[in-house]
Amino acid sequence: MSDAVSQKVKELFPNMVACRRDLHKHAESGWTEFRTASIVAKRLKELGYKLTMGKDAFDTNFMQGQPSAAVLKECQERAVSQGADPELVKLMDGGLTGMWADMECGGGPGPKLALRFDMDSNDATETDDPNHRPTKEGFASINKGAMHACGHDGHVAIGLAVAEILAGMKDTLKGSIRLIFQSAEEGVRGAGPMVEAGAVNGVDIIVGMHIGFQANKKGDIVCGAKGFLATTKWDVCFSGKGAHAGAYPQDGKNALLAACAATTNLHAISRHSGGVTRITVGKLVGGQGRNVIPPNAKMDIETRGETSALDEYMTSEARRIIESAAHMWDCGYDIKVMGGTKSGESSESMVADVEAIARTMPQFTNVMGVIDFGASEDYSHMMTVVQQNGGIGTYIQVGTDRAAGHHNDHFDFDEEVLESSTELAIRMALKYLGK
């Protein structure tokens, strides 16, 4: 079986590369992955999976940070013009682009194994440097302001290859398979509404995988992660009153000064003895002109905490400061939650299983156990819920050589990682579902 898995993965490798490059060329950011999701859904149906998508895959009460209706419509039209199935795209109205696919195995009862693959690109513009491989070879993004600068195009290609191989061996496996194709991972927005709709219901084992990141070079593998930071993303709008800055400044209510007062005091929130905390005002804009008392200001902020409780401490303090700053300058304020996810840590037993499998694969020459992640990833929400319900999960990072760091406009990766990642995922399925 081991040789057969390796051979099948090698046979699919050219298809994986072609898929990855097609998705890279047609990059789609969070909640707008209409073409990507259409391709995924069509292929999963062909392979015999039962799909849950559209309104059934999301609790819209928990959706955050969606583009406007006009932008979503424009992106749907673009997706269709670039070859997406119009009927499938229609099912995703409102940005409901994520889905999960189920398949019962033929070998009798067993656990439910879920694998999560994220689909969205970054809100970024890809470099036009003629030495950039996607530019040279004709697969750089053609969609303005969207670029796969984190490798999620590769994740989708891996997911579809895994789907094909597992479908072909379902009668030799026990239990069931669930493949989760998640939208809007960037900005940690997609997992929550999918979990609330049932994406991880009944899941006993869950696997998340990312190419690169802390696995810095080809041959590296990180088998688990701890220290996922819980995070909350806010857009904060201050509303004041405009007035002539020279003649009648007393008639104005300065929203920009309210926002500035909030900015400086947010960064003064006391650190917590319970663990690591973070806060960042990443963007602040406001006002209308040099001779107008600013009637408006907007801040894009985020909090983070080593645990979900610590992130809640940060958001509670942040809300208090924002409210106080608004009152001090006699302005109104509005807080809109744009994203967020839970903290998490890989299950020890599963990390050990991944290590054991990785050591049997010659592709991996530097096998690492658990690493402190020190950042946020939407997958941690799914993994934590599975663990709270009695299951196990881990987050794997598979090493690859990169042209530049993640979220950089020169990002590209060695596509051999598609092959090693797919083989690892199949060997994990055999570990947990093999008869």
Side-chain angles (χ1 to χ4, degrees):
M1 178 63 77
S2 177
D3 291 340
V5 169
S6 297
Q7 183 58 38
K8 182 61 176 175
V9 173
K10 289 184 185 299
E11 290 173 4
L12 288 181
F13 180 61
N15 292 343
M16 284 189 264
V17 172
C19 176
R20 178 259 164 161
R21 294 188 176 195
D22 175 67
L23 297 176
H24 190 95
K25 185 173 183 176
H26 302 93
E28 298 170 302
S29 56
W31 302 130
T32 73
E33 310 97 323
F34 298 107
R35 182 182 184 274
T36 304
S38 170
I39 290 169
V40 170
K42 183 177 180 181
R43 184 59 181 145
L44 292 174
K45 284 185 175 183
E46 290 171 350
L47 292 169
Y49 287 85
K50 178 184 176 183
L51 280 186
T52 300
M53 61 182 301
K55 294 179 180 178
D56 295 328
F58 290 88
D59 185 333
T60 55
N61 293 315
F62 291 84
M63 288 181 70
Q64 302 165 336
Q66 305 102 300
S68 68
V71 169
L72 289 171
K73 185 175 185 295
E74 180 182 341
C75 291
Q76 285 180 290
E77 292 172 350
R78 181 186 68 188
V80 172
S81 73
Q82 293 176 350
D85 184 316
E87 293 184 7
L88 290 173
V89 169
K90 181 64 178 173
L91 291 177
M92 306 175 210
D93 278 352
L96 307 179
T97 45
M99 72 194 75
W100 61 88
D102 291 308
M103 180 171 284
E104 295 294 324
C105 300
K112 182 186 288 289
L113 170 67
L115 297 100
R116 192 281 311 229
F117 307 96
D118 41 11
M119 302 187 293
D120 56 326
S121 75
N122 300 92
D123 293 324
T125 298
E126 190 158 9
T127 180
D128 59 1
D129 183 341
N131 295 315
H132 181 54
R133 185 178 65 146
T135 302
K136 284 195 296 185
E137 300 189 18
F139 65 94
S141 176
I142 62 174
N143 291 338
K144 184 178 180 181
M147 176 198 172
H148 276 292
C150 201
H152 298 184
D153 48 347
H155 298 171
V156 176
I158 293 164
L160 290 179
V162 168
E164 181 171 345
I165 295 171
L166 290 180
M169 60 171 55
K170 67 176 182 177
D171 290 337
T172 68
L173 303 174
K174 62 186 179 182
S176 60
I177 300 156
R178 173 166 290 180
L179 306 176
I180 303 170
F181 286 84
Q182 184 201 319
S183 49
E185 190 286 320
E186 301 290 352
V188 290
R189 297 168 289 167
M194 293 187 73
V195 167
E196 294 297 327
V200 297
N201 286 1
V203 170
D204 301 296
I205 307 159
I206 190 165
V207 180
M209 189 179 291
H210 205 297
I211 60 173
F213 204 62
Q214 291 170 309
N216 289 313
K217 62 183 184 299
K218 184 178 177 181
D220 287 352
I221 182 170
V222 178
C223 302
K226 64 178 181 178
F228 285 99
L229 299 183
T231 184
T232 303
K233 319 292 187 184
W234 283 353
D235 283 0
V236 183
C237 292
F238 290 88
S239 54
K241 180 181 178 183
H244 194 294
Y248 304 105
Q250 72 280 3
D251 292 341
K253 308 293 183 183
N254 198 317
L256 183 55
L257 285 178
C260 289
T263 298
T264 54
N265 284 284
L266 285 168
H267 286 275
I269 294 175
S270 296
R271 301 302 90 178
H272 199 290
S273 62
V276 173
T277 57
R278 301 276 191 273
I279 188 159
T280 302
V281 178
K283 185 177 180 181
L284 171 59
V285 295
Q288 296 180 346
R290 74 177 68 249
N291 62 346
V292 179
I293 300 297
N296 61 285
K298 179 174 179 288
M299 308 162 53
D300 295 356
I301 79 171
E302 66 168 23
T303 60
R304 298 183 193 241
E306 190 173 343
T307 65
S308 296
L310 286 169
D311 186 56
E312 289 170 8
Y313 159 76
M314 294 300 290
T315 57
S316 176
E317 287 294 280
R319 187 178 293 274
R320 179 180 62 81
I321 288 167
I322 289 165
E323 181 178 6
S324 298
H327 288 169
M328 182 167 59
W329 290 95
D330 197 16
C331 291
Y333 73 96
D334 177 69
I335 296 173
K336 184 177 181 181
V337 180
M338 301 300 289
T341 197
K342 299 185 179 195
S343 59
E345 183 171 335
S346 292
S347 303
E348 290 183 11
S349 64
M350 201 164 177
V351 174
D353 289 339
V354 178
E355 284 192 63
I357 294 168
R359 293 187 189 281
T360 70
M361 297 177 61
Q363 298 98 317
F364 300 121
T365 56
N366 181 28
V367 179
M368 294 170 272
V370 174
I371 284 185
D372 195 330
F373 195 66
S376 303
E377 222 281 11
D378 219 10
Y379 166 77
S380 64
H381 188 115
M382 294 185 178
M383 182 175 69
T384 297
V385 172
V386 169
Q387 291 167 329
Q388 289 171 343
N389 291 332
I392 57 175
T394 194
Y395 184 75
I396 303 164
Q397 299 172 69
V398 184
T400 182
D401 295 331
R402 289 162 288 173
H406 293 271
H407 295 201
N408 184 288
D409 65 353
H410 283 72
F411 180 83
D412 188 26
F413 61 86
D414 182 344
E415 290 163 335
E416 286 187 19
V417 72
L418 304 176
E419 187 175 333
S420 57
S421 300
T422 300
E423 183 172 342
L424 175 67
I426 298 302
R427 294 190 186 284
M428 291 184 68
L430 289 171
K431 162 70 179 176
Y432 295 111
L433 304 183
K435 289 198 295 185

